[in-house]
């Protein structure tokens, strides 16, 4: 006779994968931001009913696989089978979280255990986000807090503790909802948790002021909308030059091109350098371009931000520091180099920069610019570093040309809102093919975005601010708090294991007189 439980296990695993994929709907392009506050509830409800710790770990693993596949599904045409391999390997990060969820919420938890779950479950999730944010593991794409980029209260919260604090709040709300709907005897704890989360969000919304304005800057974003083809680099350059010339007479402080707008290094091409200088003279404004080419003064291909003024290049140069795995380099190329034959992996590894650069714009009273290149806008610490180093405006030069028609362009543009709120600095997200957008120092978008079907140049007047946000001052303190909470949970579990008597072997049954 077949065991029905054996047939149920694959079904449960599939349910875990589906439940783990649900949070993807909270991110652009669906953009259902409110869904983030209940998106983990089905997954949590499934894990808490696991019959044992091993099954809970498997539910966590399967859910993690579903989450990563859903959030990164647009990578499939580029990396093919590696997307599944990445999801299976990184999904293991959620296995301990599954054990934690079952321990905190499983069965009939006591009020103390339920209250502890409101801290422990979000902290465990945050540590997963921390580990997978390492560049070598794919970077911090799909952090749950980033789904709240349009919520004013969440943006104020990000100015205090970065996107990490927003993620903590979102997972805490999901945990409180589970207590409310699944543990009838502890609904008061769930209500108290929701009230505490509402109090935190309300305090951030009304108690944390927006950055005080201190002037304005007029920035033009040039989006040529041209990519691909054997002569794509030259066509991009020609179209960007044409669009930039049309900006003459608009009293600009800065003109920004997208990533890979220039296919040759101007340092080794005097004619190209003269052309860009003449263009800056035409619009009477500095021109920040992005070069994807071999450097003239050192070996290897670099992605670099260069600043040209009407008087010529300033000599300031920022080389991209954090590269996209497989897209710009192949990790362990000797082992995984075959990826270039099945996907769009980099044929040759790009070289890394060594330090961030802040570029002062020429002229008295002009702001200083801190450039980031594409993928780097996903990293909270990079924007914070630029703000601490004196950047008045953060500029992201990006290109999501490979992923046109997917959710990627809108998701990428939304990250700039978090970086603006965290740093209290306006952020310009200029792309080769869209979505291009600009955000004020409070994280709110200024003007409409430029879609992926546009080939145009737009001007945005952005408020400047000298306010130092709590996140810039204190950094990633929510991560340290999460480490302390999980450390306490592990210590308590270890102490309980020590106090628990070891299971002894049953002694031989005594023989009675009658026996």
């Amino acid at each position: 006779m077949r065991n029905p439980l054996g047939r149920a296990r694959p079904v449960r695993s599939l349910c875990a994968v589906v439940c783990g994929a649900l949070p993807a709907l909270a991110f652009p392009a669906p953009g259902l931001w409110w869904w983030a506050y209940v998106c983990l509830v089905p997954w949590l409800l499934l894990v808490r009913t696991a019959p044992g710790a091993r099954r809970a770990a498997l539910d966590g693993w399967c859910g993690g696989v579903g989450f990563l596949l859903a959030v990164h599904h647009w990578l499939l045409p580029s990396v093919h089978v590696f997307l599944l391999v990445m999801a299976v390997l990184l999904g293991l990060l959620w296995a301990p979280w599954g054990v934690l969820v079952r321990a905190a919420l499983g069965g009939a938890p006591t009020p103390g255990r339920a209250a502890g779950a409101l801290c422990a479950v979000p902290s465990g999730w945050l540590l997963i986000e921390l580990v997978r944010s390492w560049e070598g593991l794919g970077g911090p794409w799909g952090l749950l807090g980033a789904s709240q980029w349009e919520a004013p209260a969440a943006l104020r919260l990000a100015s205090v503790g970065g996107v990490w604090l927003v993620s903590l709040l979102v997972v805490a709300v999901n945990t409180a909802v589970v207590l409310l709907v699944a543990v009838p005897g502890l609904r008061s704890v769930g209500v108290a948790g929701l009230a505490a989360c509402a109090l935190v969000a309300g305090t951030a919304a009304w108690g944390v002021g927006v950055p005080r304005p201190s002037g304005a800057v007029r920035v033009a974003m040039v989006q040529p909308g041209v990519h691909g083809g054997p002569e794509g680099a030259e066509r991009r350059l020609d179209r960007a030059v044409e669009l930039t010339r049309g900006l003459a007479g608009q009293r600009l402080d800065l003109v920004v091109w997208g990533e890979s707008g220039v296919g040759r290094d101007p340092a080794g091409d005097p004619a190209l350098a003269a052309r860009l200088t003449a263009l800056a003279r035409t619009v009477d404004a500095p021109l920040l371009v992005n070069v994807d080419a071999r450097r003239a003064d050192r070996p290897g291909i670099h992605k670099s931000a260069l600043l040209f003024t009407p008087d010529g290049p300033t000599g300031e140069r920022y080389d991209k520091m954090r590269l996209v795995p497989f897209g710009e380099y192949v990790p362990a190329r000797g082992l995984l180099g075959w990826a270039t034959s099945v996907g769009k992996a980099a044929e040759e590894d790009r070289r890394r920069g060594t330090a961030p650069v802040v570029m002062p714009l020429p002229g008295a009273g002009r702001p200083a610019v801190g450039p980031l290149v594409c993928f780097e806008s996903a990293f909270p610490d990079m924007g914070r570093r630029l703000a601490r180093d004196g950047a008045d405006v953060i500029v992201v030069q990006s290109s999501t040309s490979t992923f046109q028609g997917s959710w990627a362009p809108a998701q990428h543009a939304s990250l700039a809102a978090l970086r603006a709120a965290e740093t209290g600095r306006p952020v310009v997200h200029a792309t080769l093919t869209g979505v291009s957008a600009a955000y004020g120092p409070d994280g709110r978008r200024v003007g409409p975005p430029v879609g992926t079907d546009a080939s145009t140049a737009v001007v945005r007047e952005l408020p400047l601010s000298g306010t130092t946000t709590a996140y810039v001052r204190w950094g990633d303190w929510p991560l340290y708090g999460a480490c302390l909470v999980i450390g306490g949970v592990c210590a308590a579990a270890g102490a309980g294991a020590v106090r628990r008597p070891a299971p002894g072997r049953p002694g031989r049954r005594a023989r009675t007189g009658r026996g």
Side-chain angles (χ1 to χ4, degrees), residues 14 23 36 52 56 59 108 115 138 141 173 205 253 255 268 298 336 343 349 357 396 401 475 490 497:
L14 180 60
D59 290 343
W141 193 282
V173 170
D253 295 301
V255 178
R298 62 182 64 175
L336 302 176
D349 292 348
V357 176
V396 181
S401 304
C490 293

Side-chain angles (χ1 to χ4, degrees), residues 126 130 156-166 168 379-385 387-388 419 421-423 468-482:
L126 199 62
L130 170 63
R156 300 277 51 79
L157 207 61
S159 73
V160 176
V163 68
W164 313 113
L165 187 56
V166 184
L168 269 179
F379 293 85
D381 65 300
M382 296 200 73
R384 177 175 178 256
R385 171 69 182 272
R388 290 175 66 90
R419 304 295 86 84
E422 290 167 345
T423 61
T468 300
T469 64
Y471 177 69
V472 170
R473 181 177 291 113
W474 297 323
D476 301 324
W477 61 266
L479 294 173
Y480 307 141

Side-chain angles (χ1 to χ4, degrees), residues 18-40 42 66-67 69-73 142 144 146-150 407 411:
V18 173
C19 290
L22 294 178
L25 298 176
F27 297 92
L32 306 177
W33 66 268
W34 51 268
W35 173 245
Y37 294 95
V38 293
C39 67
L40 297 179
F67 177 83
L69 288 175
V71 172
H72 297 88
H73 72 274
L144 201 54
S147 66
Q148 304 305 294
W149 67 280
E150 288 184 293
W407 295 358
Q411 285 186 32

Side-chain angles (χ1 to χ4, degrees), residues 35-314:
W35 173 245
Y37 294 95
V38 293
C39 67
L40 297 179
V41 170
W43 191 3
L44 291 170
L45 290 174
L46 180 70
V47 175
R48 73 176 293 270
T49 62
R54 182 178 299 179
R55 181 68 240 189
L58 183 57
D59 290 343
W61 183 12
C62 292
V65 172
F67 177 83
L68 293 169
L69 288 175
V71 172
H72 297 88
H73 72 274
W74 43 270
L75 284 172
L76 188 59
S78 296
V79 299
H80 296 290
V81 69
F82 276 102
L83 179 60
L84 180 60
V85 174
M86 177 201 74
V88 170
L89 293 178
L90 293 185
L92 286 169
L93 294 173
W94 278 269
W97 185 73
V99 177
L100 172 66
V101 169
R102 180 182 178 275
L105 297 173
T110 63
R113 182 152 63 98
L118 292 172
C119 295
V121 172
S123 295
W125 181 279
L126 199 62
L127 293 189
I128 296 171
E129 292 196 335
L130 170 63
V131 173
R132 72 182 187 87
S133 292
W134 180 48
E135 173 197 346
L137 295 180
W141 193 282
L143 302 184
L144 201 54
S147 66
Q148 304 305 294
W149 67 280
E150 288 184 293
L155 293 174
R156 300 277 51 79
L157 207 61
S159 73
V160 176
V163 68
W164 313 113
L165 187 56
V166 184
S167 286
L168 269 179
L169 181 73
V170 170
V171 182
V173 170
N174 279 270
T175 307
V177 171
V178 169
L179 290 172
L180 191 63
V181 302
V183 190
L186 296 177
R187 284 175 178 162
S188 59
V189 179
V191 171
L194 290 175
C197 292
L199 179 62
V200 170
T203 301
W206 289 287
V208 180
V210 298
R212 295 183 300 274
S214 59
V217 60
R218 286 176 59 82
V219 180
M221 298 180 291
V222 177
Q223 180 177 300
V226 177
H227 63 94
E231 299 180 355
E234 289 303 317
R235 290 171 53 231
R236 286 196 298 269
L237 177 61
D238 292 342
R239 180 57 178 159
V241 168
E242 178 186 357
L243 291 171
T244 303
R245 283 177 180 154
L247 296 168
Q250 297 202 35
R251 298 181 294 104
L252 299 172
D253 295 301
L254 179 66
V255 178
V256 182
W257 287 9
E259 180 187 15
S260 305
V262 180
R264 304 189 307 277
D265 187 0
D269 190 335
L272 177 58
R275 186 182 185 187
L276 296 173
T277 299
L279 192 59
R281 193 177 302 122
T282 298
V283 296
D284 192 27
L287 172 64
L288 187 69
V289 302
N290 189 271
V291 177
D292 184 2
R294 297 186 185 278
R295 285 192 59 160
D297 57 344
R298 62 182 64 175
I301 301 175
H302 293 73
K303 286 194 174 182
S304 309
L306 281 74
L307 187 65
F308 286 80
T309 72
D311 297 324
T314 64

